[in-house]
Amino acid sequence: MEKYRDWSDPGSGINPFVPLTKPRPVWHTIWGLTLGAVLAPVKMVLFGLLLLLLALLELIGILVYRLPLIGRFAERLAQLVLCRGMLALLGVWLVSTKRVGKKPFHLNPGETIVANYSSYADLLWIMANYSPIFALPASVDGDKLVPVSGLGALVRSLGHWIPPARSSTGIGMEQLISIARAQAKPIVIFPEIVRTNNTAVLALSASLCLACAKAPSLHGIALSYSKTRHSLPFSAGNSIIHMFHAMRQPLQTMSVKHVSPANMTLAGPDGLGRELATSVGVKLVQVKAQDKPSFLEFFNTGIKNSRK
């Protein structure tokens, strides 16, 4: 859209933040206006109950999940069942998966996943499959990370969280790996930091890329969705409204590509960004996470602040 051109990539013209507007198939529209509109409120209540149950189990799990042997199994089972249930309520019944590289693709404790970031559904799928530690950047252009639980990362994903420009908190990758190994979990990092509309991968922070490169075993996860209106990418707006419209649809498409460490190409300053963009099947743009707050301000209020 012309009014959002200040946040478009100069080379390609792609805007990675504007919500998708391409029409869905006619039968999806008819479903969404009839039975889908009736079922969506019910689905939202059930989604909220599952989210509440996830929070309660995480609170109880402070003790239970630390038990030897059964603790980690119980945590993985709980997240698998609850997160798969929430994905089903969103319309994701089947996920197309592809693996690039040699097996096995089992993740050992302390191994790291980097993934593109477009939706709260990203976290649900990752939690269901890996039950990891999520590592959030302590600052928008730094190399320090803050470990959070799956629930903590999911709650932030339902809003428009962005780290501060500078921060004295956070830990280095080496310490994060030690924590993950102690908890028998892999690590997940979204190097784009903020969500996009799944049509591009943002330019990544050089400091954060260097931090990711310190991981001894780095996996890539590329998550893709339908590029149509009311699909799961959530780049702007209200999460409750977005979720309601997504749940009105009869189904949602989701595909995942897992790139093994041996097949991750990280050469050059843009190596990680280009690898993610190639895996998702989109372009790497010059727009950065730092551009998102001004876009959201203009999107929500019409107050325009030019990109710096």
Side-chain angles (χ1 to χ4, degrees):
M1 295 182 183
E2 183 66 19
K3 66 179 179 179
Y4 299 120
R5 67 179 182 274
D6 280 2
W7 297 274
S8 297
D9 179 54
S12 64
I14 296 172
N15 189 310
F17 299 142
V18 174
L20 301 169
T21 57
K22 182 181 177 181
R24 297 179 71 90
V26 174
W27 77 274
H28 282 215
T29 303
I30 294 173
W31 177 281
L33 294 174
T34 53
L35 188 58
V38 176
L39 293 176
V42 179
K43 291 180 179 180
M44 292 197 70
V45 171
L46 292 175
F47 188 96
L49 291 174
L50 290 180
L51 186 60
L52 179 60
L53 184 56
L54 183 67
L56 291 174
L57 288 177
E58 184 161 306
L59 183 63
I60 298 171
I62 293 175
L63 298 176
V64 177
Y65 295 163
R66 294 183 180 180
L67 294 175
L69 300 178
I70 66 169
R72 178 62 177 150
F73 173 77
E75 182 179 20
R76 291 207 65 171
L77 180 62
Q79 291 195 4
L80 172 64
V81 172
L82 295 176
C83 293
R84 280 288 186 181
M86 285 187 271
L87 282 172
L89 291 171
L90 289 168
V92 180
W93 293 96
L94 295 174
V95 178
S96 172
T97 58
K98 179 180 180 181
R99 293 179 173 180
V100 179
K102 295 181 179 180
K103 295 181 179 180
F105 278 82
H106 171 72
L107 269 71
N108 295 313
E111 292 193 8
T112 304
I113 293 171
V114 288
N116 63 306
Y117 189 24
S118 303
S119 175
Y120 42 82
D122 300 343
L123 287 90
L124 293 174
W125 187 88
I126 289 172
M127 290 169 65
N129 285 272
Y130 301 112
S131 184
I133 290 175
F134 288 89
L136 306 180
S139 62
V140 77
D141 197 26
D143 62 349
K144 300 299 182 183
L145 298 161
V146 178
V148 298
S149 67
L151 179 64
L154 183 58
V155 169
R156 288 173 174 84
S157 186
L158 292 172
H160 294 290
W161 177 86
I162 185 169
R166 295 179 180 83
S167 175
S168 59
T169 62
I171 59 177
M173 178 59 80
E174 296 86 353
Q175 187 177 352
L176 180 64
I177 291 172
S178 297
I179 292 172
R181 285 174 176 168
Q183 296 184 19
K185 295 181 179 182
I187 300 163
V188 172
I189 301 173
F190 294 111
E192 291 176 286
I193 303 176
V194 298
R195 290 186 310 275
T196 70
N197 57 17
N198 206 226
T199 62
V201 167
L202 301 180
L204 308 183
S205 160
S207 299
L208 187 55
C209 288
L210 288 174
C212 293
K214 293 178 182 178
S217 184
L218 192 67
H219 299 250
I221 294 289
L223 301 115
S224 302
Y225 303 91
S226 169
K227 305 298 190 294
T228 56
R229 190 181 183 197
H230 301 326
S231 55
L232 291 177
F234 172 51
S235 57
N238 182 283
S239 59
I240 295 177
I241 295 174
H242 176 269
M243 194 177 295
F244 174 80
H245 287 303
M247 288 180 176
R248 286 196 301 114
Q249 309 309 314
L251 54 87
Q252 299 283 355
T253 59
M254 181 180 188
S255 61
V256 180
K257 181 186 288 187
H258 185 163
V259 183
S260 71
N263 292 81
M264 290 285 285
T265 305
L266 305 178
D270 297 328
L272 180 56
R274 294 191 183 282
E275 178 65 41
L276 282 176
T278 300
S279 299
V280 180
V282 297
K283 290 183 178 295
L284 177 68
V285 296
Q286 297 179 33
V287 185
K288 300 179 180 181
Q290 292 91 323
D291 300 318
K292 187 74 180 282
S294 61
F295 169 80
L296 289 174
E297 184 177 11
F298 180 54
F299 182 84
N300 294 327
T301 67
I303 300 173
K304 189 172 185 179
N305 291 325
S306 298
R307 287 172 56 194
K308 294 179 175 62

